[in-house]
Amino acid sequence: MTQAANPTSSSELRDIVRDQLQLLLEQKNYEGAKMLLVPVPPVDIAEAIQGLSRPMQMLAFRLLSKSEAIAVYEYLDSDVQQSLLEEFRDQEAIDIVESMAPDDRANLFDEMPANLVRRVLAQLDPSERQATALLLGYKPDTAGRVMTPEFISVRADMTVSQAQERIRELARDKEVAYYVYVTDPVKRLLGTVSLRDLILASPDQRVEDVMERDVIFARADVDQEEVARLIQRYDLLALPIVDQEGILLGVVTVDDVIDILEEEATEDIYAIGGVRAEGESYFDSGFWSILKRRVPWLLVLVVTNIATVFIMSQYEEVLDSVVELAFFTPLLIDTGGNIGAQSSTVLIRGLSTDELRNKKPARVILRELFAGAALGIVLAVLVLGIAMVFVGKVEIGLTVGLSLIAIAALAATVGTLLPYLFHKMGFDPAFMASPFITTVADILGILIYLNIAKLLLNIG
Amino acid sequence: MTQAANPTSSSELRDIVRDQLQLLLEQKNYEGAKMLLVPVPPVDIAEAIQGLSRPMQMLAFRLLSKSEAIAVYEYLDSDVQQSLLEEFRDQEAIDIVESMAPDDRANLFDEMPANLVRRVLAQLDPSERQATALLLGYKPDTAGRVMTPEFISVRADMTVSQAQERIRELARDKEVAYYVYVTDPVKRLLGTVSLRDLILASPDQRVEDVMERDVIFARADVDQEEVARLIQRYDLLALPIVDQEGILLGVVTVDDVIDILEEEATEDIYAIGGVRAEGESYFDSGFWSILKRRVPWLLVLVVTNIATVFIMSQYEEVLDSVVELAFFTPLLIDTGGNIGAQSSTVLIRGLSTDELRNKKPARVILRELFAGAALGIVLAVLVLGIAMVFVGKVEIGLTVGLSLIAIAALAATVGTLLPYLFHKMGFDPAFMASPFITTVADILGILIYLNIAKLLLNIG
């Protein structure tokens, strides 16, 4: 075992590799750089290369053996992949692209200019071209797009030893061989058999006698998230993907699922933070793209927030006669916003992770309403005390306290109701996340506050 | 293949199974209920049982065959596991608990009352007791706690066919056999060999000649999140866990990793929403436990928010002389809060997913500062217009617009700086998420706003 395998220091070792690589390349010590990279896993080499300047990247990439270059290339970010591809000689480009797994290749093509895609695609080996075109035929984020058409299938009527022989021949080329799929003569999926079961079976049994017939599978047009949930739920290593006729097209493997679920969690988190999540990493994107991701929500929120300005200007006489009321607006609307944010956050996450599938919406909403009111009561006592200290008037304290209870109950309800409604209408409930909920809670909160004030303080 | 495998309708089929099960049990049609459950995967049976009332749960569970009962039991929520366990006859309880995977068992014991744990533990088979005690010896959320001590290892000097023979013997008992681990005579980890490689190798080769020596592994005391990241990064199916001496203790499998990463994402999301995430699902927890999860943050936020009341009361003469200023406080602090929330959200997610490992904090913070200012300028133009419409005074419009730019830049900076600082100090950066950032941005925002007002409007 290499030292690099020690996880508590592996990230530090990765940094050392990157710095050393840079240094060796600057000193034109190419042999040294080559030696440095030999024991390093491809994903770490890719990261080290990404840390270099563009010309250095090409230099480092050329130091790798052909098989290593292919492995490393798949881990590079697509902008680095593209810039390398443009600098390759034609044959070199074809070799690399041809050796990529079809799903990784489809991903690369997605981000490449169309004319470059056409040029490269035209030069691919017909079978590789067909595999890629198959994937590119499905919408992004569907099972068909993330599957790999490279899997091992055997016929149901083979013996275990024939199947083992076939696997031995095929496995060298295939990306994965976690399961072996059993099909009929027209390639319809009949069952699966694991390598483990094949090892455990006696050689002269028939495949159909050892295969598992209850297969969990998905159709190619299903959303990738559903594929991920199936693999997670049933603890699978890979999920077979079929067309309408049940013909086996490919498999989605568990390592892709981890990335899909992570991407999805990032999307939810960004939505809750009011940032658009599409495309590359936020931290790798340019300044303008950052603004473009953040401005849309901010504009929606500012425009919605005009309502608060309007409402407060309508109650000018209330604020004018008791200016102390203004002191408490930030506290009240922040607290309402926070309670609404709590409710919408747990609801949105619950909808994503399928936790809410067996819960009745009416019950969930009602419980949030009561929870909000209860939280409001706890906080109202505290705020009443604060009000007494700062303004010393019981009526103002009561106004603030009562408003807080009403605002809290309302914010929790709105924070649950709106994401649910959005979900029911087929939209992404994450659009009804904290930023928007906070704004809605603020508008309603100010309306409640100023009306309670008017009533209790006998104004107007 | 069963119909239940159709993913587009599998969730509906799950609901049908649950409803049917309830109906059949109510009609005391136990044979029918038994038949209904035969083709259903254990995880779905567990879900259906969980939807029943407590007495019904026991009834349904007794309908299962012993091996099925064991498989289903592992998927039940721990409160259902416990309530069933209490009703089992002693021997029955021991049988079930003894057949659980040691990591699932350790999880169950975590949530059981200590005296029940002692009683059950005392009656376990010595080897199972030892396996459980080993896991319970590690802190929750460490590699040692989530690993399973059931793995297959072979000696480096065996031949491939001896190894295959050993695997055939052992694989029946073991939870997983994705990889086979190669050890020396004192059980120190030397390498791995995949089942696939064993099939591909010729029978008389030595294991040490076909094994992979560069093994990625983790120490048992390492955080489970780090284990998950290693498996994700290197696309592994399982990660071997060793002690300080390199002795192989167990493996963490990829299906656990999916759950670990999902749990971790939920924790981050809840933190961003200001809700504590520990323990069972939010939607399954009782009313008091919900309040207990939400009150702490709300109290912190309200207490911090007292500063806004204090500041505004100090500027009473400003608000008193130009009451229109109060109209804009909600809009200004909401916008500042939203920009701060955006920054802190992307930063916290970036720290969780390791995206920020190669970025210089100073650069990231500076970029956020500029992005915040740029966003502030865009929004200021809009808000200036709003101000002119509602109050028609240029000075107030300018005050609001300038304040917004300053608040936006500041909020973005604070939203980046505070989570970074927390991270550097070794705390969870998620504590510096939206709710707290919003409050800090509000306090600073009001201070900026009222001071700019004082200056531009010549008050006091």
Side-chain angles (χ1 to χ4, degrees), chain B residues 98-204:
Chain B
E98 203 157 81
S99 327
M100 291 176 82
D103 51 334
D104 293 325
R105 190 160 55 214
N107 263 339
L108 170 63
F109 282 5
D110 256 351
E111 317 235 341
M112 269 169 33
N115 57 340
L116 190 57
V117 171
R118 265 194 303 274
R119 213 186 70 200
V120 176
L121 206 51
Q123 294 178 80
L124 284 183
D125 180 69
S127 76
E128 296 291 339
R129 187 165 63 225
Q130 208 187 346
T132 307
L134 171 69
L135 299 191
L136 288 171
Y138 291 99
K139 289 204 198 93
D141 299 339
T142 59
R145 196 55 165 283
V146 292
M147 71 187 178
T148 168
E150 302 191 326
F151 53 86
I152 297 183
S153 65
V154 296
R155 287 264 298 274
D157 51 6
M158 285 180 172
T159 66
V160 166
S161 72
Q162 282 174 320
Q164 285 193 3
E165 186 53 42
R166 185 174 152 83
I167 293 164
R168 209 167 284 134
E169 278 165 28
L170 284 176
R172 289 176 212 282
D173 295 338
K174 303 293 172 179
E175 193 187 27
V176 279
Y178 304 143
Y179 298 110
V180 174
Y181 297 95
V182 185
T183 58
D184 70 7
V186 295
K187 297 276 174 205
R188 244 192 309 256
L189 179 63
L190 293 179
T192 62
V193 60
S194 67
L195 287 182
R196 183 176 163 229
D197 292 331
L198 282 181
I199 292 190
L200 294 179
S202 69
D204 50 351

Side-chain angles (χ1 to χ4, degrees), chain B residues 322-342:
Chain B
V322 191
V323 74
E324 291 98 328
L325 286 174
F327 304 167
F328 294 93
T329 39
L331 176 71
L332 282 178
I333 64 177
D334 271 2
T335 309
N338 286 328
I339 291 177
Q342 288 182 330

Side-chain angles (χ1 to χ4, degrees), chain B residues 31-43:
Chain B
E31 271 313 303
K34 238 182 197 170
M35 293 301 296
L36 173 76
L37 295 179
V38 166
V40 180
V43 55

Side-chain angles (χ1 to χ4, degrees), chain A residues 1-2 5 7-8 11 14-15 18 41 43-44 47 75 168 171 178 189 196 199-200 213-215 217-218 222 226 229-230 232-235 237 254-255 258-259 261-262 265-266 269-270 272-275 281-285 287 290-291 294-295 298-299 301-302 305-306 309-310 312-313 316 323 326-328 330-331 333-335 338-339 342-343 345-346 349 353 355-359 367-368 370-371 375 379 382 386 390 442 446, chain B residues 1-2 5 7-8 11 14-15 18 41 43-44 47 75 168 171 174 178 189 196 199-200 213-215 217-218 222 226 229-230 232-235 237 254-255 258-259 261-262 265-266 269-270 272-275 281-285 287 290 294-295 298-299 301-302 305-306 309-310 312-313 316 323 326-328 330-331 333-335 338-339 342-343 345-346 349 353 355-359 367-368 370-371 375 379 382 386 390 442 446:
Chain A
M1 286 187 299
T2 59
T8 39
S11 65
R14 274 185 243 152
D15 293 338
R18 200 193 50 220
V43 56
D44 295 333
E47 192 180 278
Y75 286 110
R168 209 168 286 136
Y178 304 143
L189 180 63
R196 183 175 163 229
I199 292 191
L200 295 178
R213 284 163 196 278
D214 289 329
V215 190
F217 64 94
V222 145
E226 193 160 342
R229 293 280 160 221
L230 283 171
Q232 179 186 24
R233 182 175 180 85
Y234 298 102
D235 289 343
L237 295 180
V254 67
D255 52 310
I258 293 180
D259 298 334
L261 290 176
E262 180 129 310
T266 297
I269 289 175
Y270 275 34
I272 291 170
V275 181
S281 158
Y282 178 88
F283 299 101
D284 289 331
S285 49
F287 193 72
I290 283 188
L291 296 189
R294 294 174 66 163
V295 159
L298 291 174
L299 284 180
L301 296 173
V302 167
N305 235 318
I306 296 175
V309 181
F310 176 73
M312 289 187 87
S313 69
E316 183 167 350
V323 74
F327 303 169
F328 294 93
L331 176 71
I333 66 178
D334 271 2
T335 308
N338 286 329
I339 290 177
Q342 289 183 328
S343 297
T345 300
V346 294
R349 184 63 179 161
T353 56
E355 272 174 275
L356 282 165
R357 226 175 49 78
N358 290 320
K359 310 278 176 205
R367 211 168 75 134
E368 280 303 303
F370 284 121
L375 291 168
L379 298 176
L382 183 66
I386 298 171
F390 282 100
D442 288 356
I446 286 173
Chain B
M1 284 187 301
T2 58
T8 39
S11 65
R14 274 184 244 153
D15 292 337
R18 200 193 49 218
V43 55
D44 295 333
E47 192 180 278
Y75 285 110
R168 209 167 284 134
K174 303 293 172 179
Y178 304 143
L189 179 63
R196 183 176 163 229
I199 292 190
L200 294 179
R213 286 163 195 276
D214 288 330
V215 191
F217 65 94
V222 147
E226 193 160 343
R229 293 280 159 218
L230 283 172
Q232 178 185 24
R233 182 175 180 85
Y234 297 103
D235 289 342
L237 295 181
V254 67
D255 52 310
I258 294 180
D259 298 335
L261 289 176
E262 180 129 311
T266 298
I269 288 174
Y270 275 34
I272 290 170
V275 181
S281 159
Y282 178 88
F283 298 101
D284 290 330
S285 49
F287 193 73
I290 283 189
R294 294 174 66 162
V295 159
L298 291 175
L299 284 181
L301 296 173
V302 167
N305 235 318
I306 296 175
V309 182
F310 176 74
M312 289 188 88
S313 71
E316 183 167 351
V323 74
F327 304 167
F328 294 93
L331 176 71
I333 64 177
D334 271 2
T335 309
N338 286 328
I339 291 177
Q342 288 182 330
S343 298
T345 300
V346 294
R349 184 62 179 163
T353 56
E355 275 174 272
L356 282 166
R357 224 176 49 79
N358 290 320
K359 311 275 175 209
R367 212 169 74 134
E368 282 300 305
F370 284 121
L375 292 168
L379 299 176
L382 182 66
I386 299 171
F390 281 100
D442 289 355
I446 286 174

